[in-house]
Amino acid sequence: MIQTLKTDSSFRLCFAAIAFGFVFIMNGKLSSGTTPHEADPPQASNLALSPEAAPPDTAMDDASGINFGPLPPFVPEFSVYIFYLGERKHDDPNLVTQSHLEILKSVLGSEEAANKSMVYSYHHGFSGFAAKLKPAEAEKLKKHPEVIILLENRKLGLQTTRTWDYLGQFSTPTSSKSLLHETNMGSGAIIGVIDSGIWSESGSFDDDGYGPIPKHWKGQCVSADQFSPADCNKKLIGAKYYIDGLNADLETSINSTTEYLSPRDHNGHGTQVSSTAAGSFVSNMTLLGLSSGSIMRGGAPKAHIAMYKACWDVEGGMCSVADVWKAFDEAIHDGVDVLSVSVGGSALKTLDVEIDIAIPALHAVNKGIPVVSPAGNEGSRSSSVINVSPWILTVAATTLDRSFSTLITLENNKTYLGQSLYTGPEISFTDVICTGDHSNVDQITKGKVIMHFSMGPVRPLTPDVVQKNGGIGLIYVRNPGDSRVECPVNFPCIYLDMEVGSELYTYIQTRSSMKIKISPYKTIIGESVASKVAKSSARGPSSFSPAILKPDIAAPGLTLLTPRIPTDEDTSEFVYSGTSMATPVIAGIVALLKISHPNWSPAAIKSALVTTAMKTDPYGERLTVDGGNYKVADAFDYGGGLVNLEKATDPGLVYDMDINDYIHYLCSQALYTDKKVSALTGNVNNKCPSSYSSILDLNVPSITIPDLKGTVTVTRTVTNVGRVKSVYKPVIEAPFGFNVVVSPKKLKFNKTRNKLAFTVTVSPGSHRVNTAFYFGSLTWSDKVHNVTIPISLRTRFIDNFFL
């Protein structure tokens, strides 16, 4: 039912479920690592669909309009299966591949059949293969003595000017001691990107002033559909693509009419990720609301880029596990220094999902290559975080100190600020109509601005409906956690907070006549704009391994200004947003840290980022969370906190780990046996730790205990990377109601002792019931460095009872 505004007091408000996000998508739908807007995924419905409302994959009877349910999914004649064999047994990749063919031959009977079945041989970074097989054949191969893990190929989802100023790394370094200056802006580092390809002609990949390509580089630029080695340069030094795994599982193979069968980017995601990590300086950016002469650049603007296209412009961005594994395999061989992988699967607690990225990432990390991946965009629900293995650097997304605000002016000059990217002409004073539903929108809309409130099962009023019926603008009043709709170009869709929207509504109701004026958006930058963890950013605890804190770190991931590609049909500047855009921010910083500290392990780099992170924005204001009630953010929202790249260069102490720690994790999770550990490492002497070894003792830069019943003592070890002679004392911020004791009371380092262990003993304190998680921290301080790790505790006096 639609109601017009009246001057009397009898009216009923219906509140809208529309949230605002500053980002638009091309050709797409939501995915695990990148979201086109801050929106919850569609929920299943028991309501029957009308013929008009039926999705394209639903069978309908044209005569009766009866819904017969979804059409059966496409099932390929031969599925692709992935067989993981562990570390390589031969240095020669040809011998590794031949061993894979022999394994296939043992089931298929001939070398010809084995070659025909093979999709990929993983023979550089690790050993394994992908093959097209019948289920019965795959089951036989699963029992082969060399096979560690079998998984069926799955599809994964793809998950700036102001960014670096916000984080304190100004485009023109003001200090010779800054990380950007000391590392020559990342010169010499190679950032590998596994994504949707790259648009090499973009100014972000200009190589003017670049030195020679690093000598350790072994990669290449392939020649394929509208891409050749000439498209590479000293900036973009490698470009490959992988499609066979995905094509094998699609009803209609990807072809050159819908995508570039080459490293060339078709949807812009890979170009945006690459430029965010290592884009060259692009001057004189022109965008409404930005000051003239603004500069866009990546985190390590002089680093080299290698693109591994394993994701394709299908359903908004799709990759297959088989293709992603091949990208990892070759990136490890080619000599990348950092891997930025903005993809991921589900947050469900299953072994196979964890393997999707984790296994090849473990081999990369074991060879000294940090792997940076998104926390996922299934927030703001609890336990939605993905990429949870402790060797992966998992990134949450925050907003910037930048707001795009549209001014709503009343006839008496009273003003309200809404959020919008409206760039069209000013809409002069016009009538405002309030709607509750869509029943008679055609009778009230023409020539007016619609102010929309809705609740319950009523769908949000969409801009196309308003436009179709002659409306000239749409004001959505929403709660912070509500979803939003897409808005046409140069049509004002303005989002108001519920409190502000209710005030405006009430104010208009008390006047006999009141019109409003709408202005194009302006940019507000600085301290007055609150920084939040994005609504879409996935939250901990990990459902797969709740004793390992995830995400690890947070970085800006919304409204990052990045280059667009010519095939981009979306006219907005902020095409993709979310944790996949925060990921390359961290990847660029990691590249700088690797140059600054070439001997640091991936775990040491992660520790440096986590222990120096900020719980506040750069202006000192506590970070809050978007998506529901505004609350102060905690460790499950942002891990250690918002990245503080200058502090991370000198953390004082680090919580280091190596392959033995990662084996500890795999064995404590009951994922691996001694046999699998030996195959993983390529060393028959490697075995699982003793049975009394607890996952709580894994040397991660955090302490998370999800099932505390009595007193528990955990152990951590820190390595001194600061002053040789130093003394650290603990500062404890115990989670509410819990007792936390640290021993010893001092850590003394010198020339012969740069690594020390300590214990943390935790008890439930005053708690006597099953609690929610409470948060605190432990800081080791030498009065110069403050090395802080999060503490997350939850009691479980009654097992498996969470109410």
Side-chain angles (χ1 to χ4, degrees), residues 188-192 214-219 237 306 308 328-338 369 594:
I190 302 171
I191 301 178
K215 292 181 179 179
H216 69 274
W217 176 245
K218 300 177 185 177
I237 63 174
Y308 298 86
F328 266 101
D329 183 46
E330 297 204 352
I332 293 169
H333 166 266
D334 290 345
V336 302
D337 297 305
V338 181
I369 305 169
K594 280 210 72 173

Side-chain angles (χ1 to χ4, degrees), residues 389 575 699:
S389 296
V575 182
N699 206 42

Side-chain angles (χ1 to χ4, degrees), residues 738-756:
F738 291 86
N739 294 327
V740 179
V741 178
V742 177
S743 180
K745 298 301 181 185
K746 290 182 181 180
L747 296 177
K748 295 182 179 181
F749 297 93
N750 55 41
K751 289 183 179 180
T752 60
R753 186 168 52 188
N754 77 326
K755 187 176 293 188
L756 291 171

Side-chain angles (χ1 to χ4, degrees), residues 194-333:
I194 299 177
D195 214 283
S196 69
I198 195 163
W199 195 268
S200 58
E201 292 83 358
S202 169
S204 289
F205 311 121
D206 184 86
D207 68 348
D208 185 40
Y210 268 67
I213 295 171
K215 292 181 179 179
H216 69 274
W217 176 245
K218 300 177 185 177
Q220 60 179 319
C221 289
V222 303
S223 182
D225 183 13
Q226 300 192 44
F227 195 92
S228 74
D231 289 302
C232 290
N233 54 23
K234 292 179 182 179
K235 177 69 172 181
L236 176 61
I237 63 174
K240 300 178 179 180
Y241 70 102
Y242 314 92
I243 195 172
D244 293 346
L246 182 59
N247 263 344
D249 283 340
L250 295 177
E251 185 170 6
T252 302
S253 295
I254 300 170
N255 57 61
S256 58
T257 63
T258 58
E259 247 278 25
Y260 298 111
L261 301 183
S262 73
R264 185 167 292 283
D265 193 3
H266 191 269
N267 69 5
H269 190 277
T271 299
Q272 186 167 338
V273 166
S274 301
S275 65
T276 302
S280 301
F281 286 86
V282 179
S283 303
N284 300 318
M285 297 298 301
T286 56
L287 178 68
L288 181 63
L290 290 179
S291 59
S292 59
S294 292
I295 296 173
M296 178 175 68
R297 70 168 178 88
K302 286 193 175 181
H304 306 280
I305 295 171
M307 170 54 66
Y308 298 86
K309 182 177 178 180
C311 301
W312 299 83
D313 197 4
V314 178
E315 298 184 29
M318 187 177 290
C319 341
S320 85
V321 176
D323 296 330
V324 170
W325 277 40
K326 189 58 179 174
F328 266 101
D329 183 46
E330 297 204 352
I332 293 169
H333 166 266

Side-chain angles (χ1 to χ4, degrees), residues 329-619:
D329 183 46
E330 297 204 352
I332 293 169
H333 166 266
D334 290 345
V336 302
D337 297 305
V338 181
L339 270 169
S340 181
V341 189
S342 288
V343 301
S346 167
L348 294 175
K349 183 176 181 178
T350 68
L351 171 60
D352 284 355
V353 167
E354 176 64 4
I355 290 170
D356 286 344
I357 299 296
I359 290 299
L362 177 56
H363 285 275
V365 168
N366 194 35
K367 291 174 174 62
I369 305 169
V371 177
V372 190
S373 289
N377 283 352
E378 296 301 320
S380 55
R381 293 182 295 275
S382 174
S383 298
S384 53
V385 65
I386 62 173
N387 296 318
V388 300
S389 296
W391 49 86
I392 295 175
L393 183 46
T394 307
V395 187
T398 70
T399 62
L400 287 166
D401 59 342
R402 175 165 62 192
S403 174
F404 299 98
S405 300
T406 296
L407 195 66
I408 299 173
T409 306
L410 276 59
E411 288 178 298
N412 61 358
N413 287 326
K414 187 175 179 67
T415 60
Y416 294 86
L417 277 179
Q419 293 177 320
S420 153
L421 280 175
Y422 174 60
T423 60
E426 180 178 272
I427 296 176
S428 58
F429 288 104
T430 188
D431 292 325
V432 184
I433 300 298
C434 177
T435 67
D437 60 34
H438 315 161
S439 59
N440 62 341
V441 66
D442 57 326
Q443 300 175 27
I444 64 169
T445 305
K446 190 172 183 179
K448 298 179 176 64
V449 173
I450 305 301
M451 187 173 179
H452 181 61
F453 296 78
S454 69
M455 67 161 54
V458 179
R459 285 186 175 184
L461 183 61
T462 56
D464 60 313
V465 173
V466 175
Q467 277 190 308
K468 178 181 177 181
N469 290 283
I472 59 175
L474 185 56
I475 299 173
Y476 287 108
V477 183
R478 51 88 175 182
N479 284 310
D482 295 339
S483 58
R484 77 172 190 92
V485 299
E486 292 296 330
C487 191
V489 177
N490 289 334
F491 181 83
C493 297
I494 303 166
Y495 297 84
L496 294 179
D497 179 86
M498 185 65 70
E499 181 179 344
V500 176
S502 297
E503 179 184 331
L504 172 60
Y505 181 86
T506 302
Y507 190 86
I508 293 174
Q509 286 296 109
T510 61
R511 275 32 180 196
S512 58
S513 176
M514 183 62 68
K515 299 183 178 183
I516 66 168
K517 178 175 66 175
I518 296 175
S519 305
Y521 86 84
K522 299 293 182 183
T523 304
I524 300 175
I525 291 174
E527 186 174 1
S528 61
V529 181
S531 297
K532 309 180 189 72
V533 177
K535 176 204 167 189
S536 63
S537 187
R539 308 301 209 264
S542 161
S543 64
F544 184 83
S545 183
I548 304 299
L549 177 65
K550 289 288 176 171
D552 295 303
I553 195 72
L558 275 71
T559 65
L560 309 189
L561 184 60
T562 55
R564 294 175 52 223
I565 65 175
T567 57
D568 175 11
E569 297 176 0
D570 193 307
T571 59
S572 74
E573 297 297 332
F574 308 102
V575 182
Y576 290 105
S577 187
T579 57
S580 72
M581 290 302 119
T583 294
V585 171
I586 295 298
I589 293 170
V590 168
L592 299 180
L593 288 174
K594 280 210 72 173
I595 293 174
S596 180
H597 300 282
N599 296 323
W600 280 9
S601 69
I605 290 174
K606 181 169 81 168
S607 173
L609 291 170
V610 172
T611 61
T612 59
M614 301 180 288
K615 310 300 184 295
T616 69
D617 68 14
Y619 308 102

